[in-house]
Amino acid sequence: MRIISGKFRGLKLQPPVNFGIRPTSDRLKESLFSILESNKYNIKIENSNVIDICSGTGALGIEALSRGAKLICFVDKDPKAINVLQKNISKLKIDCKDEPYIKIFRNDANLALQIIKYNFDIVLIDPPYNSNVIEECLVKLRQYSLIDFNSYIFAESSKKENFNFDGFELLDTKIYGKSKLTVLKLFNSGSVK
């Protein structure tokens, strides 16, 4: 597991060891960030606020940080995952006074989303497959005004998994092996012609 691009390019991250984390495949991670950096949706990673829900090792959030995000909130309830995440963040050797702001929430995603007080430009959700976490997070992100019409949500799930995204516009779906990447945005009725 390495950082693909940006300030920390090539940095080797500590992988999960002997516990139930399924890291995002390199292929899916590369696709996600090529979508983010393409002109297709006009998303700006630089100076953005990013939340990495079910962050595991933190590979996705750290990749966003490497590419210029100014705020990263990591959310995971597993203490072993948080331990690996903290080790990976320490490898960055950054001083948060001068660099992007990093916040770690060791909590269930639903509970964490109730206490977080930021608005996010980019939401990364990578929960255990075949759980209802994505649906729950979509509801909470809207309910607590953590996203707006300019926010983009990237959700990773099993390719066979379907989830309810009422109130959101489906922008794209990509399949990679057993995984599916779904790109969503809040549905803006004002943009319908």
Side-chain angles (χ1 to χ4, degrees), residues 2-182:
R2 289 183 184 275
I3 300 300
I4 300 167
S5 185
K7 184 177 181 178
F8 305 113
R9 181 181 180 170
L11 180 73
K12 191 173 182 183
L13 297 176
Q14 179 175 329
V17 183
N18 296 329
F19 58 101
I21 288 184
R22 171 204 33 78
T24 299
S25 72
D26 285 346
R27 189 169 162 219
L28 193 144
K29 183 165 73 167
E30 284 182 39
S31 175
L32 187 157
F33 281 95
S34 70
I35 291 169
L36 275 168
E37 293 188 330
S38 74
N39 291 327
K40 187 172 185 178
Y41 301 118
N42 198 26
I43 306 170
K44 304 290 182 219
I45 299 177
E46 195 168 344
N47 295 317
S48 63
N49 290 352
V50 178
I51 186 167
D52 186 354
I53 302 172
C54 301
S55 58
T57 63
L60 293 177
I62 292 171
E63 185 73 41
L65 185 67
S66 182
R67 295 173 190 236
K70 71 174 177 183
L71 167 72
I72 306 283
C73 289
F74 294 96
V75 177
D76 205 299
K77 67 180 180 180
D78 187 325
K80 292 177 183 173
I82 294 292
N83 186 41
V84 172
L85 169 64
Q86 289 172 327
K87 287 178 181 174
N88 283 332
I89 290 171
S90 71
K91 288 182 176 192
L92 306 178
K93 298 187 182 352
I94 58 176
D95 180 354
C96 287
K97 293 175 194 154
D98 304 321
E99 295 288 340
Y101 188 58
I102 298 170
K103 188 91 173 129
I104 299 172
F105 295 87
R106 189 181 124 197
N107 217 329
D108 175 82
N110 281 318
L111 297 174
L113 293 175
Q114 292 177 41
I115 59 173
I116 294 172
K117 302 295 182 207
Y118 303 102
N119 186 273
F120 295 100
D121 305 297
I122 299 167
V123 177
L124 308 170
I125 311 173
D126 185 10
Y129 285 176
N130 303 306
S131 65
N132 58 351
V133 173
I134 295 172
E135 283 185 21
E136 291 172 354
C137 287
L138 292 174
V139 169
K140 299 289 185 198
L141 287 163
R142 243 179 26 188
Q143 180 181 355
Y144 296 112
S145 301
L146 302 176
I147 55 173
D148 60 29
F149 294 118
N150 296 311
S151 304
Y152 289 85
I153 296 97
F154 294 83
E156 182 181 342
S157 62
S158 157
K159 75 175 180 181
K160 295 180 181 177
E161 188 175 346
N162 292 310
F163 54 88
N164 182 348
F165 52 87
D166 284 347
F168 290 84
E169 179 183 358
L170 175 63
L171 300 177
D172 208 347
T173 303
K174 304 240 182 229
I175 304 289
Y176 302 93
K178 296 179 180 179
S179 301
K180 175 170 63 176
L181 177 64
T182 304

